[in-house]
Amino acid sequence: MFTIEAKRVLTPVTKLIVVQAPMVARKARPGQFVILRCTESGERIPLTIADYDREKGTITLVYQEVGKTTRLLGRMGVGDAILDLVGPLGMPAELPREGRVLCVGGGVGVAPVYPKAKAMHEMGVDVVSIIGARSADLLILEEEMRAVSTAVYVATDDGSRGHHGFVSDVIKQLLERGEQFDEIIAVGPILMMRACVEVTRPYGVKTWVSMNPIMVDGTGMCGACRLSVDGKTKFCCVDGPMFDGHAVDWAEAVRRSRIYLEEEKIAVDHMNCAEGGCRP
Ligand code: FAD
Ligand code: FES
Ligand code: MG
């Protein structure tokens, strides 16, 4: 169970794995995620189901190595098995079946956007996409996004590909020139999603975001993933992860995402130290 069947290095910091998980694959729908553990004493981390194949019984996960657990996962190869994995968790995304939708993915956020774009494309929705990253070598799933979109715009922070700047600048350009969208879906780092939402707010276009707070159990029991949406408390793992971005309390979400920065840094330092890379 949970054996890694295939692995692709997408960028120097992003990896894609195809994992054997027939029960999850059977029920997975776009927008849902899994929670997994790599080791017995390790923490649980949520990752979006980026794709699934019900016949083969596999799910695809795409992750960026940002800290201890994602680095541990990055070291696992084909044939290795993930210790445990639970899912599909969260509410499936409520996707429109017609109209024109702008899909925006920043960094590893392109992975969670892809299954939604693919599902909408298959239903006949006109999908326009914007994908972005810090630099050209960090862009992911461009080919896959092109296959399900009528147009794909690229943005890089350093200008090495496409628009020199943020995905939110490209949204602004499209809206300013009068492009019409029934909905916008924006997924990526929290500051990117907040910037996208501020750009679309004056235009009144419904903008869905996929929130990514710290999660522990993923079943609505621990409260770690608490968010305020429209003044009401929501648990991202059971009420989300998709929410109306114009209703999210972003200041609180940003503050809560940073609660464990010190501990996360210590965990990476310990990992480096155990491998002989102690800082003096
Ligand atoms: P750490 O150094 O421990 O943490 C780095 C940062 O990751 C933290 O500052 C915090 O913002 C976040 N983080 C840490 N622990 C958790 C946790 N238990 N739960 C959530 N966030 C945490 N990342 C991907 O690369 N690909 C995905 O498809 C993806 N999907 C996600 C779906 C959901 C619903 C959520 C909530 C998060 C998702 N993430 C995804 C983020 C991913 O869970 C974190 O990057 C990962 O937990 C970091 O763990 P770490 O130990 O490597 O890094
Ligand atoms: Fe515990 Fe959502 S992760 S309530
Ligand atoms: Mg961690």
Side-chain angles (χ1 to χ4, degrees):
M1 277 287 261
F2 313 134
T3 306
I4 299 176
E5 292 204 339
K7 181 172 182 179
R8 252 168 74 197
V9 177
L10 301 182
T11 80
V13 290
T14 324
K15 289 174 181 157
L16 176 155
I17 50 176
V18 179
V19 182
Q20 201 184 74
M23 308 259 276
V24 182
R26 199 180 308 151
K27 294 208 160 170
R29 287 167 60 192
Q32 293 186 295
F33 62 95
V34 296
I35 287 197
L36 60 83
R37 261 191 332 162
C38 297
T39 60
E40 187 67 46
S41 59
E43 65 180 350
R44 299 153 59 84
I45 63 160
L47 293 176
T48 305
I49 302 169
D51 209 350
Y52 46 82
D53 186 323
R54 298 200 205 285
E55 278 175 23
K56 290 186 186 150
T58 58
I59 57 168
T60 300
L61 305 174
V62 176
Y63 57 93
Q64 192 167 349
E65 293 184 25
V66 291
K68 182 175 175 182
T69 307
T70 45
R71 269 170 63 180
L72 283 176
L73 188 60
R75 291 175 187 178
M76 299 176 76
V78 173
D80 290 338
I82 291 168
L83 181 69
D84 50 52
L85 180 149
V86 46
L89 299 171
M91 300 293 285
E94 284 174 34
L95 300 173
R97 298 180 161 270
E98 54 184 16
R100 191 162 191 247
V101 176
L102 180 62
C103 288
V104 186
V108 75
V110 180
V113 160
Y114 172 66
K116 301 177 184 82
K118 183 179 166 196
M120 288 190 290
H121 171 75
E122 284 168 1
M123 290 188 289
V125 174
D126 177 8
V127 176
V128 174
S129 300
I130 306 173
I131 59 170
R134 287 203 310 278
S135 54
D137 61 327
L138 299 179
L139 283 165
I140 60 165
L141 304 181
E142 182 174 348
E143 226 173 273
E144 288 82 349
M145 289 300 285
R146 286 197 187 279
V148 297
S149 312
T150 47
V152 176
Y153 299 88
V154 175
T156 50
D157 297 3
D158 67 356
S160 47
R161 267 288 305 285
H163 169 76
H164 187 167
F166 301 129
V167 288
S168 49
D169 304 335
V170 182
I171 303 180
K172 192 158 192 251
Q173 288 167 5
L174 295 179
L175 294 176
E176 272 175 355
R177 73 177 191 220
E179 299 248 6
Q180 299 289 325
F181 299 103
D182 297 294
E183 291 182 16
I184 297 176
I185 298 175
V187 188
I190 195 161
L191 297 179
M192 175 224 119
M193 292 192 286
R194 182 167 73 173
C196 294
V197 161
E198 292 318 324
V199 164
T200 66
R201 200 186 294 275
Y203 292 87
V205 189
K206 185 82 161 181
T207 305
W208 295 100
V209 291
S210 185
M211 296 302 286
N212 45 12
I214 292 183
M215 290 188 179
V216 180
D217 66 308
T219 58
M221 310 248 275
C222 70
C225 66
R226 180 163 56 81
L227 301 164
S228 298
V229 181
D230 216 4
K232 299 185 193 75
T233 297
K234 298 281 177 187
F235 286 172
C236 185
C237 65
V238 286
D239 300 320
M242 302 289 290
F243 292 98
D244 173 357
H246 295 147
V248 168
D249 179 339
W250 290 95
E252 181 196 57
V254 170
R255 202 171 55 245
R256 287 183 61 81
S257 75
R258 295 178 174 156
I259 301 177
Y260 297 110
L261 279 186
E262 190 53 35
E263 287 80 0
E264 288 154 359
K265 199 172 136 309
I266 291 169
V268 171
D269 280 350
H270 282 175
M271 192 175 185
N272 290 339
C273 213
E275 291 166 1
C278 286
R279 284 186 299 175

